[in-house]
């Protein structure tokens, strides 16, 4: 094929790509569009927008129950993010740097939890949470959410630590540092982007999680955002615009953080998904 | 250098224990959220426990498993779950393959699109579920208008149609999972040596022959493995059908995950629900094992 022919083909295929992508992403873009359309436009199904409005967002942020849910989701998500980082970094370091009896079993155990869907352990978890008197608490939810991103976090960070030359740490140990000191001072700063990505990932997973929250939480004071959105869907008085605005509040941070940390996460996902 | 043996020993011990101490919290979480609940579910499945009758479980032996066999609604949900699972994976492959081939080019648009295509995968179910309900709503949905025009939907939303609801939600489920397959296929496509295509082109192979002879054999393992992973996820679905139709209309979208959820929260029979989850685990383990075994024999 000539250079011009190839260029032409690329342009045609790019156009096809753009069209297909627009079609595939329509359900998501439509949520964002509806959240800023006036109710009149939504009801008439007109494709031509009359004006852009922030009314739905004003409405949603003036609701007490939604604000409480926003606060709860922020609390749970932040603790889960920090907790995942604090647990995953040492675990990944241990799996990467040491050889010891049972290491492969431990690695497999952690990876296997990733493959276990929440539905598979839902019943026993609900019974256990109730027996412990932790039903309707954010404590139970936070703890369960820790398991969402932890396995991928450990395996992703292990890959990054594997790539840091041991010699760097050994040099620090010879200079009188302990092995843990060497890890904190030498290796940790080098893998910091990956650690931040892992924390972000854990936050996002907790932020959008629905089933476990649905199973252990019923009262308004401890509801998280996905449950609050469901409450907004009151059959007697609900506005599609407001529900879509609520959807944007839930989706926006997820989408934003994912696009920011895409490279680290995609690498980790494919490595975790295919190697395992 | 001048450390005595007494001083030396604890240090050696702590050094031995260090890797275990570092990994312990992660193991604790894995055991508490996965290992322990699985064992507990197994124990629970042998109990007789109907919350309206007794607050505490009593040993029931195989009572739940006997009840499973004669539960006709459960059997219908069981077959429906297979349709749902295979349908979801089929949609995932059908959508992902052309997209991956299209995105496997080195242009700015293709690179940007490879990032944006991941959005359905990362957007939470609750947002997608309500988004699709909005699109399919009989009063405000633009997609409903299109379906009505095509004669697929009447005046009521297609989600209220017992014959169509499962097909529609299965498609949405495949759409949601498709990006993961695209990601994996892109990785597989990029690892095919360009020389293979060049040699085939010199031999005069048509694009279709090149696709069947080179591309397909190189990515079929990826399709199988990722298809299996996505199939397991689909088998255990709950969020999407629950958010969109609560398993309705008339149980049309009640898959096993929903049956199990209702067994705990509506029927108040946690032990029966545990038995369902144990059966689901056994089926899944068997199916995965068989598929991988068949694969190895080929």
């Amino acid at each position: 094929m000539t250079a011009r022919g190839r260029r032409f083909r690329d342009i045609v295929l790019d156009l096809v790509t753009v069209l297909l992508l627009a079609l595939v992403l329509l359900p998501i873009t439509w949520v964002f569009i509806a959240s800023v359309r006036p109710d009149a436009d939504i009801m008439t199904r007109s494709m031509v927008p009359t004006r852009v409005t922030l009314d739905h967002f004003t409405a949603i942020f003036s609701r007490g129950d939604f604000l409480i849910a926003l606060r709860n989701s922020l609390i749970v998500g932040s603790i889960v993010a920090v907790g995942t980082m604090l647990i995953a970094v040492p675990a990944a370091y241990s799996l990467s740097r040491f050889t010891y009896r049972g290491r492969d079993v431990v690695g497999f155990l952690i990876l296997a939890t990733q493959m276990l869907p929440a539905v598979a352990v839902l019943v026993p978890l609900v019974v256990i949470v109730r027996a412990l008197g932790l039903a309707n608490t954010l404590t139970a939810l936070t703890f369960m959410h820790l398991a969402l991103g932890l396995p991928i976090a450990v395996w992703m960070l292990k890959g990054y630590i594997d790539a840091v030359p041991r010699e760097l740490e050994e040099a620090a140990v010879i200079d009188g540092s302990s092995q843990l000191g060497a890890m904190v001072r030498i290796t940790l700063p080098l893998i910091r982007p990956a650690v931040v990505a892992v924390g972000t990932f854990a936050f996002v997973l907790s932020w959008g999680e629905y089933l476990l929250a649905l199973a252990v939480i019923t009262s308004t004071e401890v509801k998280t955002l996905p449950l609050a959105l469901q409450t907004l869907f009151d059959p007697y008085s609900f506005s599609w615009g407001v529900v879509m605005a609520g959807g944007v509040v839930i989706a926006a941070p997820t989408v934003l953080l994912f696009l920011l940390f895409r490279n680290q996460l995609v690498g980790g996902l494919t490595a975790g998904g295919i190697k395992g | 250098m001048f450390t005595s043996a007494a001083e030396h020993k604890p240090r050696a011990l702590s050094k031995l224990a260090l890797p275990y101490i570092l990994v312990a919290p992660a193991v604790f979480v894995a055991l508490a959220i996965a290992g322990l609940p699985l064992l507990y579910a197994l124990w629970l499945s042998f109990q007789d426990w109907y919350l309206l009758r007794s607050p505490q479980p009593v040993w029931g032996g195989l009572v739940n498993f006997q009840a499973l066999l004669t539960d006709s609604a459960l059997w219908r949900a069981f077959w429906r779950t297979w349709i749902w699972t295979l349908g979801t994976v089929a949609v995932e492959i059908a959508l992902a393959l052309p997209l991956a081939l299209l995105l496997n080019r080195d242009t700015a648009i293709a690179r940007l699109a490879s990032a944006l295509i991941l959005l359905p995968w990362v957007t939470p179910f609750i947002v997608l579920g309500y988004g699709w309900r909005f699109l399919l709503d009989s009063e405000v949905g633009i997609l409903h208008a299109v379906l009505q025009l095509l004669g697929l939907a009447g005046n009521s939303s297609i989600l209220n149609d017992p014959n169509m609801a499962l097909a529609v939600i299965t498609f949405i489920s495949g759409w949601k999972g498709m990006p993961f397959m695209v990601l994996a296929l892109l990785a597989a496509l990029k690892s095919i040596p360009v020389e293979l295509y060049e040699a085939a082109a010199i031999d005069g192979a048509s694009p279709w022959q090149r696709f069947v002879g080179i591309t397909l054999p190189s990515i079929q393992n990826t399709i199988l493995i990722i298809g299996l992973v996505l199939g397991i996820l689909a088998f255990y679905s709950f969020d999407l059908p629950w958010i969109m139709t609560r398993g309705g209309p008339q149980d049309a979208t009640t898959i096993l995950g929903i049956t199990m959820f209702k067994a705990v929260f509506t029927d108040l029979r946690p032990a029966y629900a545990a038995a369902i989850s144990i059966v689901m685990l056994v089926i899944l383990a068997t199916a995965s094992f068989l598929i991988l075994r068949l694969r190895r024999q080929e």
Side-chain angles (χ1 to χ4, degrees), chain B residues 23-42:
Chain B
V23 86
V27 172
F28 175 72
V29 173
L31 288 178
I33 300 297
L36 183 74
L38 282 179
L39 289 176
Y40 187 60
L42 188 64

Side-chain angles (χ1 to χ4, degrees), chain A residues 10 13-14 17 24 27 30 34 45 87 94 100-101 113 117 119 124 127 130 147 210-211 215 230 233 240 254 262, chain B residues 19-20 22 26 33-34 37 40 102 105 107 115 122 127 130 132-135 137 140-141 175 236 238 242 260 265 270:
Chain A
D10 265 341
L13 288 178
D14 273 353
T17 308
V24 167
W30 200 241
R45 277 197 281 216
I87 298 173
S94 168
Y100 50 92
R101 188 189 289 267
T113 43
V119 169
V127 177
R130 282 184 184 167
Y210 175 69
L211 173 59
Q230 191 173 283
F233 215 87
W240 277 109
T254 313
R262 187 174 64 95
Chain B
Y20 292 102
L22 291 175
I33 300 297
Y40 187 60
L102 205 53
R105 296 173 302 123
T107 67
V122 298
V127 180
Y130 285 142
W132 277 95
R133 270 177 77 163
F134 178 53
L135 282 171
D137 186 82
V140 296
W175 167 82
Y236 279 101
F238 169 83
W242 183 259
M260 208 182 74
F265 290 98

Side-chain angles (χ1 to χ4, degrees), chain B residues 37-71:
Chain B
L38 282 179
L39 289 176
Y40 187 60
L42 188 64
W43 177 82
L44 208 55
S45 69
F46 292 109
Q47 306 297 311
D48 187 6
W49 194 13
Y50 180 32
L51 281 174
L52 286 182
R53 233 178 17 226
S54 65
Q56 293 301 324
V58 285
W59 180 259
L62 292 173
V63 62
N64 293 311
F65 294 98
Q66 279 160 354
L68 284 176
L69 290 175
T70 53
D71 186 341

Side-chain angles (χ1 to χ4, degrees), chain B residues 63-208:
Chain B
V63 62
N64 293 311
F65 294 98
Q66 279 160 354
L68 284 176
L69 290 175
T70 53
D71 186 341
S72 58
L74 182 73
W75 277 102
R76 283 196 298 276
F78 176 77
W79 296 118
R80 206 177 283 127
T81 307
W82 282 108
I83 298 173
W84 161 274
T85 303
L86 298 174
T88 298
V89 177
V91 171
E92 277 158 354
I93 295 171
L95 290 177
L97 193 54
L99 278 168
L101 292 172
L102 205 53
L103 296 181
N104 186 31
R105 296 173 302 123
D106 200 25
T107 67
I109 297 274
R111 276 194 300 273
L112 181 68
S114 327
L116 292 176
I117 197 73
L118 294 163
L119 286 183
W121 178 258
V122 298
T123 309
F125 272 112
I126 190 88
V127 180
L128 299 180
Y130 285 142
W132 277 95
R133 270 177 77 163
F134 178 53
L135 282 171
L136 294 168
D137 186 82
S138 60
E139 277 171 26
V140 296
I142 47 163
L143 202 56
H144 176 78
V146 175
L147 291 173
Q148 220 172 2
L149 218 68
L150 295 172
L152 285 167
N155 288 327
S156 172
S157 167
I158 198 164
L159 292 174
N160 295 328
D161 181 346
N163 297 317
M164 294 297 287
L166 183 65
V168 171
I169 302 183
T170 304
F171 174 82
I172 298 172
S173 166
W175 167 82
K176 157 94 172 150
M178 157 276 290
F180 194 70
M181 185 63 96
V182 172
L183 207 65
L185 285 178
L186 273 176
L189 287 172
K190 287 204 161 69
S191 66
I192 303 175
V194 190
E195 294 78 32
L196 284 181
Y197 289 108
E198 282 164 1
I202 291 168
D203 291 344
S206 71
W208 175 249

